[in-house]
Amino acid sequence: MQRITPQNLRTPGPTPIPDDIVEAMTNPMINHRGPEFGEMIHKATEQLKQVFMTKNDLFILTASGTGALEASIVNTLSPGDRVIAATAGAFGDRFVDMVEAYGADVKRMDFEWGGPIDADAIRKALNDDPSVKAVLVTHNETSTGVTHPVEDISKVVKGEFGKLFLVDAVSSLGCIPLPVDAWNCDMVGTASQKGFMIPPGLSFISVSEEAWEAQKTAKMPRFYFDLTMAKRYLETGQTPFTPNLSAMYGLSRALDVLLEEGMENVFGRHATIGQFTRDGAKELGLELLVSDNAYASNTVTAIKVPEGVDQKALLGKMRTEHNVVLAGGQGRMSSDIFRIGHLGAVAKEDITEVMDALKVVLPEVGFKA
Ligand code: PLP
């Protein structure tokens, strides 16, 4: 296969992989039932708990982020269970689809795309329906570039009503603060190809005591994602099934790098680059989808396609003429916005390159500032 020229990959995952992590991933295969793997998984699990800010159990699964989210559902719920799934974007919608596919009785709560999920509306819905067992939310809605107020939602879901709280943190964990224990989240799932700066193929999931309690009676079908099996195997330094060893090497290196930098600094770096991106877009005369900066994501920015601009031509020219790869929209917003990913290994220079290229390309595709 011909080698692909490195690009300024500004999609919200997969994200570019630093050279030392690439190097770590070239380590030779080892016996995943042997002592070297045992040492590696125990250390990585403990380090991941620091990133999740949790003392809960935590598992590394060989699957993309969706696997972790599916694990949160099938390990806690039974067909027919009443759940609230709040959505304000394509990934919120997917969480709804997933829990419906497993037979839950879903009360879907739709919020405006580009705005936050409203904790008060969830309080009202929980007041109206005491039979609800769990609430599902997305922390960072990648399709719109909104970070939802999980802390406020948790105060309602856990603090006032004591329901199970399942959180999709695929595009936020390790980039935007989500202190799992302080915010009392029962299950939180994320993935390797975002803030962790490694390829797709691993996902991580934390499990609270309450989630384990729910697991005892949960009847949704599960096998690959049965976390009792994952727990039993982890005690012996193994995974039930063959793990993605190369990604595990990368993860080990990435966790050393992240923890050495310090999570507060990592969060601060993402906040700075997020604001830098939003400011840069506004300086070009572009309009952000998220009008309230308080909810603007520090991992991905969604920009409205200006009137008269051909979004496909814009993304095409950025890629072919400037080597900058941006993302389009998703779901019902697929052609209304374009998105800039700024998570994981990203420097200000990478974003400056994006803005410089946009300045050239936008007028070529119909933009009148
Ligand atoms: N949830 C969110 C918020 C995401 O951003 C993504 C992927 O981008 C997913 C879920 C799905 O993750 P994966 O494609 O790794 O299965």
Side-chain angles (χ1 to χ4, degrees):
M1 183 201 149
Q2 230 185 338
R3 277 198 74 77
I4 291 171
T5 314
Q7 301 165 318
N8 187 354
L9 184 62
R10 300 272 55 91
T11 58
T15 61
I17 307 173
D19 291 346
D20 57 333
I21 295 179
V22 173
E23 168 74 22
M25 289 192 302
T26 62
N27 267 299
M29 289 300 106
I30 50 172
N31 175 13
H32 66 291
R33 308 269 174 231
E36 299 93 343
F37 183 76
E39 216 172 280
M40 180 160 62
I41 195 167
H42 282 313
K43 182 175 172 202
T45 305
E46 287 313 306
Q47 288 179 310
L48 275 170
K49 287 185 189 181
Q50 292 178 48
V51 178
F52 276 60
M53 294 179 256
T54 188
K55 293 194 163 50
N56 287 341
D57 282 334
L58 188 145
F59 301 101
I60 300 170
L61 310 172
T62 289
S64 76
T66 308
L69 303 180
E70 190 157 323
S72 73
I73 290 169
V74 299
N75 282 278
T76 53
L77 298 170
S78 299
D81 276 349
R82 184 80 171 144
V83 307
I84 286 176
T87 174
F91 290 104
D93 284 359
R94 195 182 282 175
F95 221 4
V96 173
D97 292 346
M98 225 188 305
V99 75
E100 273 180 346
Y102 278 101
D105 175 14
V106 182
K107 177 179 170 54
R108 175 193 173 111
M109 294 183 69
D110 279 280
F111 296 86
E112 187 196 345
W113 286 37
I117 293 171
D118 177 15
D120 290 335
I122 292 182
R123 176 184 294 110
K124 181 169 182 327
L126 287 169
N127 262 323
D128 289 348
D129 188 350
S131 71
V132 169
K133 180 165 181 191
V135 176
L136 280 58
V137 298
T138 306
H139 181 213
N140 189 75
E141 179 50 74
T142 322
S143 69
T144 59
V146 170
T147 302
H148 293 300
V150 164
E151 183 179 17
D152 296 345
I153 300 168
S154 174
K155 281 181 185 153
V156 173
V157 173
K158 300 298 300 175
E160 296 176 29
F161 292 89
K163 308 292 183 183
L164 277 173
F165 190 35
L166 313 183
V167 181
D168 169 350
V170 168
S171 62
S172 54
L173 212 130
C175 309
I176 300 170
L178 176 50
V180 168
D181 289 358
W183 292 1
N184 213 353
C185 304
D186 289 307
M187 292 188 84
V188 176
T190 191
S192 53
Q193 77 274 17
K194 309 276 185 183
F196 291 92
M197 306 171 291
I198 53 179
L202 293 179
S203 56
F204 318 123
I205 179 104
S206 66
V207 188
S208 72
E209 277 301 325
E210 269 176 72
W212 280 126
E213 259 321 290
Q215 212 247 15
K216 287 181 191 159
T217 54
K219 298 219 164 34
M220 282 186 181
R222 54 180 185 259
F223 187 82
Y224 190 74
F225 294 122
D226 185 342
L227 295 180
T228 41
M229 237 197 297
K231 187 173 168 70
R232 202 168 65 239
Y233 273 80
L234 184 59
E235 279 159 14
T236 67
Q238 294 183 27
T239 52
F241 316 109
T242 315
N244 182 339
L245 281 173
S246 303
M248 282 296 298
Y249 294 136
L251 176 66
S252 300
R253 176 69 197 146
L255 287 169
D256 283 347
V257 169
L258 285 172
L259 293 173
E260 207 168 289
E261 182 178 355
M263 290 317 296
E264 284 308 316
N265 295 329
V266 174
F267 299 146
R269 177 162 55 74
H270 280 88
T272 303
I273 203 98
Q275 194 57 51
F276 185 68
T277 308
R278 295 190 289 278
D279 290 345
K282 283 196 272 189
E283 265 166 41
L284 292 178
L286 296 167
E287 193 184 342
L288 306 179
L289 176 67
V290 182
S291 53
D292 186 346
N293 200 47
Y295 299 106
S297 166
N298 287 328
T299 60
V300 55
T301 294
I303 297 166
K304 291 184 184 174
V305 175
E307 215 166 290
V309 166
D310 177 342
Q311 183 226 43
K312 282 205 170 67
L314 169 69
L315 299 180
K317 271 179 170 282
M318 288 293 284
R319 181 174 56 81
T320 54
E321 296 174 16
H322 298 269
N323 202 33
V324 172
V325 182
L326 304 180
Q330 286 172 298
R332 73 167 101 116
M333 277 206 169
S334 53
S335 52
D336 302 338
I337 56 171
F338 64 96
R339 294 170 301 147
I340 304 173
H342 35 84
L343 68 170
V346 49
K348 271 190 173 175
E349 299 80 72
D350 300 316
I351 300 299
T352 302
E353 200 175 285
V354 174
M355 297 304 163
D356 289 349
L358 280 172
K359 200 182 270 180
V360 175
V361 171
L362 278 165
E364 296 173 354
V365 293
F367 181 57
K368 291 178 188 62

